Amino acid sequence: MPAHRDRIAAALGLTLPTEAEVLARLRDVATAPNKDFVLIFTPENNPYEPLFA
């Protein structure tokens, strides 16, 4: 129901992001933690592979 969503956003004075902006933000959030640490699976002492390169 995009029309309903757009009417509500307009009524609230909100600007909705584009699909490209949403996907870029999702990628940033998903990959940012990998820059600061590496998850280790303790019993085997092997690092997890990142979901996003």
Side-chain angles (χ1 to χ4, degrees), residues 6-50:
D6 294 342
R7 283 197 327 265
I8 291 171
L12 295 172
L14 300 174
T15 316
L16 297 176
T18 64
E19 289 179 13
E21 292 169 334
V22 171
L23 290 174
R25 178 67 179 132
L26 176 61
R27 187 175 193 285
D28 289 344
V29 169
T31 59
N34 293 334
K35 296 175 186 170
D36 296 331
F37 64 91
V38 175
L39 292 174
I40 303 292
F41 187 63
T42 307
E44 286 84 16
N45 202 28
N46 295 325
Y48 282 108
E49 293 293 322

